[in-house]
Amino acid sequence: MVKKILVALAGNPNVGKSTLFNALTGLHQYTANWPGKTVERKEGIVKYKGYELKLVDLPGTYSLTAFSLEEVLARRFIVDEKPDVVIHVANATTLEKDLYLTLQLLELTDKVVLALNMIDVAESKGIKINSTKLSKILGIPVVKISAYRKTGLDKLLDIVIALAEGRIKTSPLQISYGPEIEALIGRISSSLKEYDLHGYTPRWVAIKLLEGDQEILDLLKGFPNGTDLLKLLAPSISTYISKKRVRYEPLCPGCPSRQKVKQGEPICMLIAAKRRTIINNIIKLTVSGLKAESISDTLDKYILHRVLGPITLFGIFAIAFAFVFTIGGLLSDYVSSGMDYITGLLSNYLVNRIPSLLHNFLINGILAALSTVLSFIPLIFVFFLVYSIMEDSGYLARGAVIMDRFMHTLGLHGKAFLSVIMAFGCNVPGIMATRALESERDRLIAMLINPLIPCSARLGVMAFIISLFFPGSIAVVVMLSLILLSLSLVAIIGSLLNKLLRGERGRELIIELPEYRIPSPRNVILLTWTRVRDFLERAGTIIVLGSIFIWFLYTFPTGNFETSYGALFGRLLEPIAKAMGLDWRAITSLVFGILAKEQVLAAMSIIYGPDLSTILRSSWSPLQAITFLVIFMIYEPCIATIAITKRESGSWLWTLFSLSYTISLSILIGLIVYNVGSLL
Amino acid sequence: MYADDGVTPISLIALNPGEEGQVVYIHGGWGILRRLAELGIYPGAIVRMENKSWGPVVVSVAGVRIAIGRGVASRIYVRPLRRR
């Protein structure tokens, strides 16, 4: 009988947690979302000395006090699923920062082992850590490891097993927050005794309340007499201690000058400062070695430079974009033509051997759908390759800093910049790139506005139709105006969603800039591979089913496109189309375009006739053409985007919202453009 | 916890690159205060201004580089330390 052990990996972002996860699990890993959430959940299996360890990679967090969803997920996992052992992965070069999480983990569970990762890097910098002493002070095992070089991993696993089996006893460091705060903690926790605290201890809940933790406040509000209880506790929670006045200088001449100064300090700050003071003392006792200016500091002087920074950023992104969409695009084309070839062969072989409806279903339904999914693989693969390299190397965080101010004009956070840039190539990687965002709410906003950014497929069709109606230089102006329109819509919808959506507001940027490092190829490939597989498994299914549905719409009941349900639907929409100066044929092509935007041209040549250019030129005025393009540009890009929105948001509701708001918006703007345009 | 030695605290963004200061007070919502403390910025911490071009400023504290939006950075008050 194999003994199973459940292990959680906790740690700050940028400590090499995923490198350790990859080093331990290799290919035996899979990703999912945390139930109903947008946060990625990675799990893997390690077989070691007859044990089977199930590793769950908790979201990277700096603490266990709710700031965003990640902290809540991490601590709920520890409390609800009771892992046998929690490995806290810390970066040995930034131990002082990382120990903040250790102290909080020790308040929640005693089955913790501290893994000092990147010990090789720390030692090369002259940092010496006395792990025996550290272990004694913290009361838990401490292991020095290097996930990158794979050293110390066996020792870590041995300790994990020993901890799980109770062969190692821990005596976690208990923090005393000082007489004043301890008195408050005591008072609050005694009034919480008779409540069901969802597995948390009264002392822990009391501390979180004093820190102003939102999830815990909500938990208490949910109690039958929760509001009364909170009112009772309110004075303690909002207490400010050690009152003192301090004068502040105005920030600059003419600034809104002397800030009003609150008296004393909020309790959450005192608690944090207490923890920090303890950590500071621990560091003094266990860590020695001076740090000279690192290469990262020198590099940052150029990379974050006022002038050089944006130039470098532009260069790197031009290369990244070109790489993703030329190499990825080229490979995608190969896959498509390969699939076309196979489809052609199969079609010829089957044409007289099976009933024509079945033939149609196989060729135009199933194989076409598979071809769509497969042709996405190279694109997704190259995108994640680039994304992982940027993330792993530490550049992604710098990009966010440089783009922060600009992104705020779009109503977005600095970290959303990659998502916006990628969306011009394809919305699928664009939406995937929102993973860089910490707050679930910000991520949702970035995901919802993403379809408004015209992807290369749309830009291609737009360029074709524009060229039919406008000569050279005017065509460029029309194209640029349309792109400007879509970016304005991004800004408007972005700030609207920012106002309307509840949850923590898009905060100002506060991010850690990790050391630059050369990405580990193994890490990058593994990360890319699990993400591509995940895309195939989950988004792929939706794309195939959706494509078959569209095929059905445009084949049944007669087998003829023009008399199909789809065309019927287009005719139903004729009144709306008329109001925008268009007819059922245009609308039907647009509905068909949900399959993939470049398919619109194919659909149009079926509906309008093979000589599309001449027919369009004679039947549309330039205004009608522009109206058509505006609608075409704004409504939901394609099934793949719908699928990836579902995959990343974890919610059908938001996926439907994305679909319906872009369609309504396209109709609205279409109406405005046509009717205002007619007046001119 | 205030370092009350007569030196008037100044805003963090008033520090020039390379200069150090000891945090004395942070003005802001609890969420921000907590996040800053998690990253090592709390009353008593010694921060060094690293980069102050446009947009967020970059400071280092205990060997960690942190980019902070200007709005938040302007509400962190420090007592400038003399450079050694």
Side-chain angles (χ1 to χ4, degrees):
Chain A
M1 191 37 204
V2 186
K3 282 178 232 162
K4 292 189 175 178
I5 298 176
L6 180 62
V7 183
L9 278 185
N12 289 188
N14 314 310
V15 295
K17 197 156 64 77
S18 53
T19 313
L20 177 63
F21 182 79
N22 287 335
L24 290 174
T25 60
L27 283 169
H28 305 284
Q29 55 170 278
Y30 38 93
T31 58
N33 277 22
W34 291 87
K37 306 294 179 193
T38 60
V39 182
E40 192 178 54
R41 170 172 172 156
K42 286 198 291 181
E43 296 183 10
I45 300 289
V46 189
K47 292 207 165 79
Y48 182 75
K49 293 189 181 169
Y51 293 85
E52 189 181 296
L53 283 72
K54 182 175 162 191
L55 252 63
V56 178
D57 193 8
L58 300 182
T61 62
Y62 291 105
S63 82
L64 291 178
T65 309
F67 182 78
S68 55
L69 183 69
E70 275 83 352
E71 289 86 5
V72 177
L73 290 175
R75 70 192 191 195
R76 288 272 27 136
F77 182 85
I78 295 172
V79 172
D80 294 341
E81 306 197 30
K82 299 189 178 51
D84 299 299
V85 178
V86 177
I87 301 177
H88 176 207
V89 190
N91 180 341
T93 64
T94 58
L95 190 58
E96 182 162 353
K97 180 203 70 192
D98 290 38
L99 282 181
Y100 199 79
L101 179 62
T102 321
L103 292 193
Q104 298 211 12
L105 281 169
L106 294 182
E107 282 179 338
L108 209 54
T109 166
D110 56 353
K111 299 278 193 183
V112 183
V113 48
L114 177 63
L116 297 177
N117 193 21
M118 303 196 202
I119 195 73
D120 50 330
V121 182
E123 277 165 1
S124 75
K125 283 181 159 188
I127 301 171
K128 288 196 184 69
I129 302 175
N130 185 338
S131 58
T132 326
K133 208 166 181 180
L134 187 60
S135 165
K136 204 174 264 171
I137 298 174
L138 294 173
I140 52 166
V142 176
V143 198
K144 291 181 177 178
I145 64 163
S146 166
Y148 188 88
R149 291 183 199 283
K150 298 198 175 183
T151 55
L153 300 190
D154 284 355
K155 196 177 170 206
L156 176 64
L157 291 178
D158 287 335
I159 289 181
V160 165
I161 291 167
L163 257 180
E165 297 189 328
R167 281 185 281 117
I168 295 181
K169 290 270 177 280
T170 58
S171 53
L173 172 72
Q174 291 302 321
I175 302 177
S176 164
Y177 290 95
E180 281 170 312
I181 295 173
E182 283 297 334
L184 286 175
I185 293 174
R187 210 161 72 221
I188 295 173
S189 53
S190 63
S191 55
L192 289 173
K193 285 241 162 65
E194 67 256 44
Y195 294 96
D196 168 25
L197 298 174
H198 292 205
Y200 299 129
T201 64
R203 177 181 166 85
W204 192 87
V205 171
I207 295 171
K208 293 299 148 192
L209 268 179
L210 290 176
E211 287 187 87
D213 185 297
Q214 196 56 49
E215 195 214 18
I216 297 299
L217 281 169
D218 291 343
L219 173 74
L220 258 64
K221 268 184 212 148
F223 293 154
N225 56 346
T227 344
D228 297 339
L229 182 68
L230 276 178
K231 260 187 210 144
L232 195 75
L233 298 177
S236 331
I237 297 169
S238 60
T239 302
Y240 288 76
I241 303 188
S242 51
K243 294 191 168 141
K244 227 171 192 189
R245 282 172 187 280
V246 182
R247 285 191 328 110
Y248 296 99
E249 275 188 349
L251 303 184
C252 57
C255 267
S257 83
R258 288 162 208 276
Q259 300 236 359
K260 285 242 166 19
V261 177
K262 267 188 190 160
Q263 289 189 354
E265 291 182 75
I267 277 209
C268 73
M269 195 79 243
L270 294 172
I271 291 177
K274 183 72 193 175
R275 290 194 188 118
R276 278 286 165 210
T277 314
I278 292 171
I279 291 167
N280 200 273
N281 290 333
I282 296 176
I283 291 290
K284 273 181 197 149
L285 290 170
T286 55
V287 181
S288 64
L290 270 175
K291 272 196 287 188
E293 183 171 88
S294 69
I295 302 166
S296 295
D297 293 321
T298 321
L299 269 175
D300 271 346
K301 287 208 175 88
Y302 301 101
I303 284 175
L304 296 177
H305 188 269
R306 195 185 295 260
V307 182
L308 293 175
I311 295 174
T312 320
L313 181 98
F314 187 80
I316 288 179
F317 279 97
I319 294 169
F321 191 87
F323 193 69
V324 171
F325 294 106
T326 54
I327 310 256
L330 200 70
L331 290 173
S332 289
D333 286 348
Y334 283 145
V335 172
S336 294
S337 16
M339 280 303 285
D340 283 351
Y341 181 71
I342 295 170
T343 309
L345 282 185
L346 211 66
S347 171
N348 282 336
Y349 176 76
L350 290 176
V351 70
N352 291 318
R353 288 183 170 80
I354 53 171
S356 73
L357 184 65
L358 184 63
H359 177 265
N360 190 344
F361 176 68
L362 277 178
I363 302 299
N364 298 322
I366 302 234
L367 277 174
L370 275 180
S371 170
T372 311
V373 174
L374 289 179
S375 65
F376 263 108
I377 295 177
L379 196 65
I380 303 285
F381 183 84
V382 180
F383 164 71
F384 270 126
L385 203 64
V386 169
Y387 180 86
S388 309
I389 290 172
M390 289 222 251
E391 192 181 30
D392 247 29
S393 65
Y395 188 73
L396 206 56
R398 270 75 178 185
V401 173
I402 298 167
M403 293 298 283
D404 191 53
R405 200 172 260 192
F406 172 72
M407 293 307 292
H408 275 292
T409 60
L410 292 183
L412 290 171
H413 198 277
K415 285 186 168 180
F417 74 106
L418 185 65
S419 141
V420 171
I421 289 169
M422 284 299 158
F424 277 103
C426 174
N427 294 109
V428 172
I431 288 172
M432 285 176 156
T434 60
R435 290 181 188 187
L437 287 158
E438 280 169 19
S439 128
E440 186 178 31
R441 177 181 169 281
D442 289 354
R443 204 180 158 206
L444 194 60
I445 293 175
M447 229 181 267
L448 291 175
I449 53 106
N450 205 279
L452 293 176
I453 301 165
C455 59
S456 56
R458 271 178 279 177
L459 293 172
V461 174
M462 283 157 65
F464 173 74
I465 295 181
I466 289 173
S467 71
L468 294 180
F469 290 89
F470 303 95
S473 54
I474 300 181
V476 175
V477 175
V478 172
M479 186 79 174
L480 287 179
S481 323
L482 284 172
I483 294 176
L484 201 67
L485 170 70
S486 73
L487 284 182
S488 327
L489 287 175
V490 168
I492 293 167
I493 302 293
S495 32
L496 258 178
L497 287 172
N498 251 318
K499 289 216 174 63
L500 295 177
L501 278 187
R502 281 162 53 84
E504 42 135 358
R505 204 119 287 207
R507 292 167 197 277
E508 257 196 271
L509 196 72
I510 304 177
I511 51 166
E512 181 192 355
L513 302 179
E515 293 270 313
Y516 289 105
R517 54 177 181 176
I518 295 168
S520 133
R522 181 191 156 85
N523 213 17
V524 166
I525 298 284
L526 266 174
L527 224 62
T528 306
W529 162 241
T530 47
R531 284 163 171 176
V532 170
R533 198 180 57 185
D534 180 51
F535 168 82
L536 274 183
E537 280 169 5
R538 315 223 275 140
T541 327
I542 302 176
I543 296 175
V544 169
L545 291 178
S547 305
I548 290 173
F549 177 67
I550 299 278
W551 170 83
F552 175 82
L553 272 188
Y554 284 98
T555 309
F556 281 82
T558 56
N560 190 339
F561 194 96
E562 280 140 78
T563 48
S564 65
Y565 292 128
L568 203 71
F569 181 62
R571 284 205 169 84
L572 272 179
L573 294 176
E574 183 115 52
I576 303 176
K578 278 242 171 68
M580 297 184 288
L582 300 170
D583 59 8
W584 72 272
R585 292 180 295 180
I587 293 291
T588 308
S589 327
L590 286 175
V591 174
F592 193 76
I594 207 90
L595 203 54
K597 282 268 167 110
E598 61 269 33
Q599 299 282 358
V600 164
L601 286 178
M604 287 174 92
S605 46
I606 296 176
I607 303 178
Y608 284 89
D611 192 7
L612 189 60
S613 315
T614 331
I615 298 173
L616 280 188
R617 242 185 249 155
S618 60
S619 57
W620 280 355
S621 70
L623 180 62
Q624 282 169 310
I626 290 188
T627 312
F628 178 84
L629 285 176
V630 164
I631 302 168
F632 172 75
M633 184 177 74
I634 298 172
Y635 82 97
E636 185 77 24
C638 58
I639 284 182
T641 309
I642 297 172
I644 206 66
T645 308
K646 163 67 180 72
R647 160 72 188 85
E648 298 290 318
S649 69
S651 143
W652 276 115
L653 202 69
W654 284 116
T655 312
L656 271 175
F657 175 78
S658 172
L659 186 62
S660 48
Y661 105 82
T662 50
I663 292 175
S664 326
L665 191 67
S666 70
I667 294 173
L668 180 73
I669 307 277
L671 283 171
I672 294 174
V673 167
Y674 181 71
N675 290 300
V676 173
S678 312
L679 293 178
L680 297 177
Chain B
M1 216 169 329
Y2 291 114
D4 197 9
D5 59 354
V7 183
T8 318
I10 61 167
S11 167
L12 176 63
I13 50 171
L15 288 182
N16 290 317
E19 286 180 356
E20 289 189 335
Q22 185 167 33
V23 178
V24 284
Y25 189 79
I26 304 168
H27 198 82
W30 285 25
I32 302 266
L33 296 185
R34 286 203 311 258
R35 169 51 51 105
L36 288 171
E38 286 164 16
L39 288 163
I41 300 180
Y42 63 99
I46 292 173
V47 296
R48 190 173 68 173
M49 177 60 72
E50 295 289 349
N51 196 306
K52 207 168 78 166
S53 55
W54 74 310
V57 299
V58 180
V59 298
S60 70
V61 50
V64 181
R65 280 167 305 279
I66 303 159
I68 308 173
R70 276 187 123 78
V72 172
S74 69
R75 284 180 224 110
I76 299 173
Y77 293 91
V78 298
R79 187 164 47 88
L81 298 178
R82 212 161 276 161
R83 259 193 285 181
R84 274 159 288 176

